[in-house]
Amino acid sequence: MTSDVKFATTLGIFGNQSDRWCNSGYKQDKGVKELFEAASQVEELDGVELFGTWHINENNIDEIAQLKEKYDFGISTLIVDLFVNPKYGNGSLASMEPEVRKDAIEDVKKYMDIAPKLDCDILDIWLGQDGYDYPFQVDYDKAWDLLLDSFAECADHNKDVKLSVEYKIREPRNHLYLATVGKTLALLEKLGRDNIGITMDVGHGFFAYENVAESVVLCKKFGDKLFHMHFNDNYGFADDDLMVGAFHMQDYLVLIYLLKKIGYNRWFSLDQFPYRDDGIGACRESIRMLKALIEAVDSVDPKEIEKVITEGDATKSIALIRKMIFKK
Amino acid sequence: MTSDVKFATTLGIFGNQSDRWCNSGYKQDKGVKELFEAASQVEELDGVELFGTWHINENNIDEIAQLKEKYDFGISTLIVDLFVNPKYGNGSLASMEPEVRKDAIEDVKKYMDIAPKLDCDILDIWLGQDGYDYPFQVDYDKAWDLLLDSFAECADHNKDVKLSVEYKIREPRNHLYLATVGKTLALLEKLGRDNIGITMDVGHGFFAYENVAESVVLCKKFGDKLFHMHFNDNYGFADDDLMVGAFHMQDYLVLIYLLKKIGYNRWFSLDQFPYRDDGIGACRESIRMLKALIEAVDSVDPKEIEKVITEGDATKSIALIRKMIFKK
Amino acid sequence: MTSDVKFATTLGIFGNQSDRWCNSGYKQDKGVKELFEAASQVEELDGVELFGTWHINENNIDEIAQLKEKYDFGISTLIVDLFVNPKYGNGSLASMEPEVRKDAIEDVKKYMDIAPKLDCDILDIWLGQDGYDYPFQVDYDKAWDLLLDSFAECADHNKDVKLSVEYKIREPRNHLYLATVGKTLALLEKLGRDNIGITMDVGHGFFAYENVAESVVLCKKFGDKLFHMHFNDNYGFADDDLMVGAFHMQDYLVLIYLLKKIGYNRWFSLDQFPYRDDGIGACRESIRMLKALIEAVDSVDPKEIEKVITEGDATKSIALIRKMIFKK
Amino acid sequence: MTSDVKFATTLGIFGNQSDRWCNSGYKQDKGVKELFEAASQVEELDGVELFGTWHINENNIDEIAQLKEKYDFGISTLIVDLFVNPKYGNGSLASMEPEVRKDAIEDVKKYMDIAPKLDCDILDIWLGQDGYDYPFQVDYDKAWDLLLDSFAECADHNKDVKLSVEYKIREPRNHLYLATVGKTLALLEKLGRDNIGITMDVGHGFFAYENVAESVVLCKKFGDKLFHMHFNDNYGFADDDLMVGAFHMQDYLVLIYLLKKIGYNRWFSLDQFPYRDDGIGACRESIRMLKALIEAVDSVDPKEIEKVITEGDATKSIALIRKMIFKK
């Protein structure tokens, strides 16, 4: 399977990352050229993923197209900025302020227009500011109506561009509307548009105490909605965006097995924040770990795996894991 | 609002509760007569909720009908036993063993037949054993197919009896299929049956890091699916089934406000496990706390509440909470 | 009790707060004069707490002294910057790089020299960068040796200035050495210096699943180590630094009761990050909520509270909470 | 290292496990003879650990001694029952009822007398009922005084028998006094007795968001207090007592490396609850997984590991993990 997989990363992995204390960032800022140049040093990389405004906007499309060509990268997705601009601090597609919501919709449409120019057919939509922090702060019913309306309007703008919704249970808001795979699937069912689906950020799934493998199966089952994958790791209590291999191992094995089984054949894209660590190294090591995990899964005959799953005897599940990982 | 609310409790609150260490239970076992007698000592109580097998089965329907009449209790719901019988240890409605799954479906149907004889139109279905503990232990896709088939067959057995699905993120299994409000709504949407809805166990919502107030709004929004309410409290890390008032306070205020707003007019039913505490006292105190919370919400003009919610200024949200609770 | 309490806040509450996405901050930057001016608008405020470098450094001591006098504020504590400067990104007092560790020690000493000039006898030391993110990333044993050595050296610099250690379980590092009240008490015991104690940041305690009331009792018991209090709120999964009253209510009641009982008579200081909310309002509302909580505790005769605690009957505990809060 | 390690298990792994719903247990009860017989089928097993009352009491010492001899098992530890007997439901060594506390102390002393008769020099003391569930339910200060007094009295009963305290953050009580490694170390420091130390139940550490490897280093550092190890696994939110290998993998690698480095040479003992799974298989698979983990650690030169740890470059930490596990 390894040879078939296309690896990508968000370009920001090579840049400077800040947090609420160290707001200058732990490293040095880099321009988009330098970021592409850094990406080119990771031999395993086939594509990059660009944050709107930070890396790509209406003024630098040609420059990006050239960089993409120069380094022979695909663009795995564009991430619309609905969370960096302070204007969206209290919400974007579900903002209670009509002007703000209108801007957010326009921003999505703008990137729907840009994407095809970069041979990219998909946008990542993460509504990190659409939620709430306090009791009695928001009208939940109205917020969901706005979400439905905004998504419908965006999706209908161009049916050939996919909108891939990335859910997350919290952070930066204390509660986000699109929190779990289930809430997102319920929204998509209601929307009934073919070009809206789900970005499964593995770390967001872990954070919501989901078994991500079950979640991708549900995305497939409820309308073939698995559009994109984000890989990283965390300790289950926050969206740490660590390198793959930091903590979850067995969950990754099952996930990789099921991605193959359900026929997922799009990008394996990293979304990490190596605040204190070398970005090139962090990217490279995650891909190497992913490859090792894929090979571990591939090392066991799928019939044998299916047999274990069908029997349901957990002692055999543990033995299977030992065999996959330790070859004994 | 208080005067309109009908309070009920699971009958088990008055009995003996055990856990995995103290498996004899921390108190003394009681028969169903004694449990009803205990319930009758809680003046605020209008109804009781019975666990299948433990309290109600095909052989004691008349006895229960008499007790119910004697004490003038409504039966808020019957809880089908799909989790006490060790037969269901590896699953019930989603069991991979055809015989076990058939038994589970028959058990649901049996209680669908019993309920109307007790003037009860609703069953609570909690699939506490349908899930998994280990990686590579189960075929998620097949499990969801079985869930869908089983629920469809049960629902079609008698359209006049409601099936109210109670979700929970984990416990006793490490992952339960029906884990969150979102996954459950996605299932219900797929089922498309009017007589299947949701029991919102408040503690299960807290446990899944849901804002339960938003969750009940979604149940209403996505098909009018809020069928039943279970009240209790916990610290967010397990289904502690504590008395109301132990921990969550503000979340209860918002929830009560929204239950009223969306027109929920069915039972307020307790589901608690007072392992070491007096059951009668635990029941009474939870209802008194619920009444105090309801009065706190009612003490502020709904127009003022709506104004705060519409403005979205969190400092006013905190001021509103202070006013509701502390009258200052 | 309310009348005796001195309220303070970190000055940063009135400024601009950023996070890892919105790194420009959700509001506008403010200078230290503006921050003091904002603080002066909160009538309930008796003091302010200053972040080193951000608000106070060796070059503006006189300016701060004048502002302090102008507005008649006490300085509740100075917070040494061991976490904003990227130099400390991989650790400060426990840094494996001798030069960095030396700088960190010098920074502490520098603020020990500055504090008395502002009539302040205490520094807050939060080691937010001293920890680790990955397995096999650090030598735990050596790190603890360095912690012990650095703290000893700092403490001995001036025994009249208190060093108040603020623990936190994680964030920004995935694991922090000084994670819990227990680990911190074990460290202090080993250090055996009178002028090192603990800042109990209430939110950090909640985050570590501590009952903060028990934690302050232990600080008192194990060497009279409760030096300072930080108030805020969160949902238990991160250091949200919300306004008091957002989530925890009952825990605050017990805490306030016990602070009184053990004779804590130093500052009640807020440490909040109102990213999207008005800083003045956020400060004012937290203090008003704290006052309401204090009055709720004071409204019940301590003998009655002690009676409930002594009996250990949880149904009476719930009744007591209802009485404190709802007066019924 | 594998060849040097002595593996044991709690005997209960081979029996019947119940929970609060399925209180009959998911399997069949077994007598102590059958349990020993089952243990003998696990060829990798060198010893067993007995629960007081359930498996061992003053009346069956001879029988146990014979079984032990027959199967050539060591007794890794005796676990004093301070949590199964409903008498201890509200506390044992910290019980506010003098008679109950006296009984608990006597029970500890009784097992201190029994242990040497089985060539066992250590008791495991887990205070699972000593804690609280509600605010205003207990006098924390008094509880800690009682803990200190009780432990001192027990320890002084026979200085040649070790008391090994097993901490846990919660469950069955919502808060346990001995919650974390830090609180337990602070208690031990105060006690100042050589024969009281710590049982590191790995799952309890994970549950408290500890890096267990750091915790064992601290046990060593603060008075050479690492007396015993319990192995199992969980998902971080409860004490699931699963087989080793279910979830944590990297944490186990670091832990095993450090146990070796600090010279831990006592038992590797399993403490699991395979509710629905075959006990013999669950025991065998955990030991096989532990052996695979030990071999993985041993496969890399310690100098190389130390180099990675000393450098602190996380990308090299991930590469090291990949090498240990996947040999690439």
Side-chain angles (χ1 to χ4, degrees), chain B residues 10 34-35 44-45 92 110 132 157 163 172 222 234 240 252 263 278 283 286-288 308-309 322:
Chain B
T10 53
E34 288 172 285
L35 296 174
E44 295 88 347
L45 211 51
S92 61
K110 187 170 73 183
Y132 47 93
H157 176 66
L163 300 181
F222 286 84
N234 64 49
D240 303 323
Y252 258 105
D278 171 52
C283 179
S286 280
I287 295 177
R288 286 179 183 168
V308 169
I309 289 173
R322 198 178 70 243

Side-chain angles (χ1 to χ4, degrees), chain B residues 209 235 243-250 277 281-282 285 288-289 292-293 295-296 314-315 318-319 322 325-326 328, chain C residues 209 235 243-250 277 281-282 285 288-289 292-293 295-296 314-315 318-319 322 325-326 328:
Chain B
Y209 195 73
Y235 292 92
M243 285 179 265
V244 177
F247 187 57
H248 291 81
M249 185 70 74
Q250 298 88 326
D277 308 311
E285 287 305 328
R288 286 179 183 168
M289 188 63 86
L293 289 160
E295 284 167 19
T315 64
I318 290 291
R322 198 178 70 243
I325 295 183
F326 296 113
K328 56 183 74 166
Chain C
Y209 196 75
Y235 292 93
M243 285 179 263
V244 177
F247 187 57
H248 291 82
M249 185 69 72
Q250 298 87 327
D277 308 310
E285 288 304 329
R288 287 180 183 168
M289 187 64 84
L293 288 160
E295 285 167 19
T315 65
I318 291 291
R322 198 178 70 244
I325 296 183
F326 296 113
K328 59 184 69 165

Side-chain angles (χ1 to χ4, degrees), chain A residues 22-150:
Chain A
C22 183
N23 49 6
S24 68
Y26 291 89
K27 297 184 284 196
Q28 298 298 315
D29 288 335
K30 277 188 188 149
V32 74
K33 268 189 200 173
E34 289 171 284
L35 296 174
F36 265 91
E37 203 279 322
S40 75
Q41 295 180 41
V42 183
E43 52 276 25
E44 296 87 348
L45 213 50
D46 306 299
V48 292
E49 191 162 329
L50 308 175
F51 277 93
T53 314
W54 278 0
H55 309 135
I56 172 81
N57 53 64
E58 58 268 58
N59 302 317
N60 74 343
I61 302 174
D62 290 347
E63 184 190 4
I64 296 296
Q66 285 162 19
L67 287 166
K68 162 185 155 29
E69 196 147 330
K70 174 176 178 189
Y71 295 112
D72 192 26
F73 279 138
I75 303 297
S76 58
T77 188
L78 301 185
I79 302 175
V80 187
D81 168 23
L82 300 168
F83 47 89
V84 172
N85 190 329
K87 175 173 66 178
Y88 297 130
N90 273 305
S92 61
L93 293 184
S95 171
M96 297 293 163
E97 295 178 58
E99 285 308 306
V100 173
R101 193 171 75 91
K102 192 163 162 263
D103 287 357
I105 292 170
E106 289 312 308
D107 274 356
V108 174
K109 290 180 182 173
K110 186 170 73 183
Y111 283 90
M112 291 178 87
D113 295 343
I114 291 174
K117 298 179 185 168
L118 297 165
D119 301 321
C120 172
D121 69 341
I122 183 167
L123 301 187
D124 186 87
I125 310 282
W126 172 55
L127 300 186
Q129 304 288 6
D130 290 274
Y132 47 93
D133 301 311
Y134 289 91
F136 295 109
Q137 193 182 9
V138 84
D139 182 333
Y140 313 116
D141 188 68
K142 186 174 174 195
W144 277 83
D145 279 339
L146 295 174
L147 274 182
L148 286 163
D149 288 352
S150 296

Side-chain angles (χ1 to χ4, degrees), chain B residues 197-252:
Chain B
I198 287 181
T199 295
M200 176 63 61
D201 184 294
V202 171
H204 294 189
F206 297 151
F207 189 11
Y209 195 73
E210 294 181 10
N211 177 323
V212 179
E214 187 194 351
S215 295
V216 300
V217 167
L218 291 181
C219 289
K220 178 76 180 178
K221 192 173 199 71
F222 286 84
D224 204 4
K225 291 301 189 189
L226 187 65
F227 281 14
H228 193 54
M229 292 296 305
H230 270 179
F231 293 97
N232 53 63
D233 208 347
N234 64 49
Y235 292 92
F237 286 84
D239 183 29
D240 303 323
D241 283 337
L242 300 172
M243 285 179 265
V244 177
F247 187 57
H248 291 81
M249 185 70 74
Q250 298 88 326
D251 282 12
Y252 258 105

